[in-house]
Amino acid sequence: MKRISLTQYLVEEQRQNNTIPAELRLLIEVVARACKTISHAVGKGALGEVMGSAETENVQGEVQKKLDIISNEILLEANEWGGHLAAMASEEMETIHPIPNRYPKGEYLLLFDPLDGSSNIDVNVSIGTIFSVLKAAEGMGEPTEQDFLQPGSQQVAAGYAVYGPQTVLVLTTGNGVNCFTLDREMGSWVLTQRNMQIPAETREFAINASNARHWFPPVTRYVNELLAGDAGPRGSNFNMRWIASMVADVHRILNRGGVFMYPADAREPGKPGKLRLMYEANPMAFIVEQAGGAATNGARRIMDVQPEKLHQRVPVFLGSKSEVERVTSYHQA
Ligand code: AHM
Ligand code: MG
């Protein structure tokens, strides 16, 4: 089988479909290279002195792991000097990171969750990196937080890496979804799945059921119907999976269908769900839609939500279209 590298894929895509300008191609390659470095650090585990807590808190008040901070640094350093970016924003940093004046500036904005699934780092369960690319407004001066507050529909690229038994990179530039596997010996990304499509029908769902007592009625109704199995209104048995790494749950759904939910619940009204719109929900929604699935916040398409804050949280329902449409319709009933 002829191996197609990430570089070759991007160059051909640029030539044939004109969807990837040269600067964006460079950006994606730099992010992919950073993910390779993160994968290496993650893979060292206890041998790399990278495990455990850094004893600091991020802007969300969550205790940071050493690998959260290392991954953030890797992405910042890799992307600073290439000339393709105006600024970056990260789940792990309070405010935006403009490109330092000593480097040339480009027209893109990069957002990332450097290491998603933090609770799984120390227990050797799959974790990953999620990223989203926006275009800076024309004639933008010194970048501000405001420049990042664009709805997900404005994304020009999004992707995630999973550091699991294999390291994979899943990418969209708005022309379908492709998966690349890291060849660890060669150090290169090889195209291994073209035009991924989420199966429309599914018998699998993902939700943290320990929060069931806090759920709002539409979620309770939907999950109860699934749990009722073939004797219930759905007339079919459903299986449940919850990895607690969104990257791994979404990757499973891209490959064999399913629905992923992190709803808002009654615990903290000011905190609608756990996942962040800009670093997690938007890029995953872009990928899922590009693979024929759907992603909503229960009321509307996630990518239509106008962001108000960089670190804003949003309820998430994503995956196979028919299931996402059903649970969304229960919110409107
Ligand atoms: P993180 O970015 O701090 O790792 O949090 C996001 C993660 C998701 O990957 C995952 O779906 C969710 O948190 C799991 O949350 P919980 O521990 O509440 O089940
Ligand atoms: Mg994270």
Side-chain angles (χ1 to χ4, degrees), residues 35 37-45 50-52 65-71 113-130 159-170 184 189 243-251 280 284:
C35 289
T37 310
I38 296 171
S39 173
H40 190 73
V42 166
K44 281 213 176 291
V50 293
M51 310 293 275
K65 304 275 185 182
K66 282 185 198 153
L67 268 172
D68 282 326
I69 296 176
I70 293 169
S71 306
D113 176 357
L115 207 52
D116 179 65
S118 301
S119 72
N120 283 323
I121 294 176
D122 289 340
V123 292
N124 199 12
V125 172
S126 294
I127 47 185
T129 298
I130 312 174
Y160 65 80
V162 186
Y163 314 116
Q166 305 128 37
T167 289
V168 295
L169 180 73
V170 171
R184 291 187 169 124
W189 295 103
I243 301 175
S245 286
M246 190 192 198
V247 282
D249 278 315
V250 169
H251 196 63
E280 293 165 330
M284 290 310 202

Side-chain angles (χ1 to χ4, degrees), residues 234-293:
R234 301 296 304 272
S236 189
N237 293 325
F238 285 77
N239 196 6
M240 192 180 82
R241 287 286 183 274
W242 185 249
I243 301 175
S245 286
M246 190 192 198
V247 282
D249 278 315
V250 169
H251 196 63
R252 182 189 62 253
I253 288 170
L254 274 181
N255 279 289
R256 65 177 196 213
V259 56
F260 170 96
M261 296 169 278
Y262 211 117
D265 61 36
R267 273 173 296 178
E268 287 177 76
K271 221 170 125 182
K274 177 179 185 190
L275 301 175
R276 270 83 13 157
L277 175 61
M278 308 296 288
Y279 316 106
E280 293 165 330
N282 269 340
M284 290 310 202
F286 191 17
I287 292 166
V288 162
E289 283 196 10
Q290 284 289 317

Side-chain angles (χ1 to χ4, degrees), residues 40-301:
H40 190 73
V42 166
K44 281 213 176 291
L47 304 177
E49 292 178 23
V50 293
M51 310 293 275
S53 161
E55 319 242 308
T56 51
E57 280 188 1
N58 68 10
V59 53
Q60 347 260 340
E62 297 156 347
V63 175
Q64 291 175 303
K65 304 275 185 182
K66 282 185 198 153
L67 268 172
D68 282 326
I69 296 176
I70 293 169
S71 306
N72 195 56
E73 287 298 319
I74 289 171
L75 280 156
L76 289 180
E77 276 169 25
N79 282 285
E80 264 187 350
W81 49 271
H84 50 285
L85 286 179
M88 292 178 256
S90 161
E91 188 182 300
E92 299 298 338
M93 300 187 299
E94 184 158 4
T95 184
I96 67 163
H97 179 93
I99 297 301
N101 284 330
R102 60 183 183 281
Y103 298 122
K105 288 192 186 62
E107 56 177 345
Y108 292 103
L109 303 170
L110 173 66
L111 300 100
F112 45 81
D113 176 357
L115 207 52
D116 179 65
S118 301
S119 72
N120 283 323
I121 294 176
D122 289 340
V123 292
N124 199 12
V125 172
S126 294
I127 47 185
T129 298
I130 312 174
F131 68 96
S132 159
V133 184
L134 294 165
K135 236 177 155 171
E138 201 93 10
M140 184 186 74
E142 211 31 52
T144 65
E145 204 167 299
Q146 195 61 36
D147 296 304
F148 283 83
L149 303 183
Q150 305 177 28
S153 55
Q154 300 291 323
Q155 291 172 105
V156 294
Y160 65 80
V162 186
Y163 314 116
Q166 305 128 37
T167 289
V168 295
L169 180 73
V170 171
L171 176 71
T172 186
T173 53
N175 185 28
V177 179
N178 293 288
C179 179
F180 302 83
T181 303
L182 180 63
D183 180 329
R184 291 187 169 124
E185 282 78 47
M186 305 296 285
S188 57
W189 295 103
V190 181
L191 179 62
T192 43
Q193 281 172 281
R194 247 188 214 280
N195 198 18
M196 297 177 88
Q197 288 290 319
I198 299 179
E201 295 298 323
T202 175
R203 293 288 170 265
E204 227 163 44
F205 68 105
I207 191 164
N208 184 338
S210 72
N211 298 322
R213 67 192 181 285
H214 305 297
W215 291 342
F216 293 127
V219 177
T220 307
R221 172 183 169 196
Y222 176 72
V223 174
N224 281 345
E225 289 181 3
L226 301 180
L227 293 175
D230 56 11
R234 301 296 304 272
S236 189
N237 293 325
F238 285 77
N239 196 6
M240 192 180 82
R241 287 286 183 274
W242 185 249
I243 301 175
S245 286
M246 190 192 198
V247 282
D249 278 315
V250 169
H251 196 63
R252 182 189 62 253
I253 288 170
L254 274 181
N255 279 289
R256 65 177 196 213
V259 56
F260 170 96
M261 296 169 278
Y262 211 117
D265 61 36
R267 273 173 296 178
E268 287 177 76
K271 221 170 125 182
K274 177 179 185 190
L275 301 175
R276 270 83 13 157
L277 175 61
M278 308 296 288
Y279 316 106
E280 293 165 330
N282 269 340
M284 290 310 202
F286 191 17
I287 292 166
V288 162
E289 283 196 10
Q290 284 289 317
T296 77
N297 65 357
R300 65 171 64 81
R301 194 177 167 231

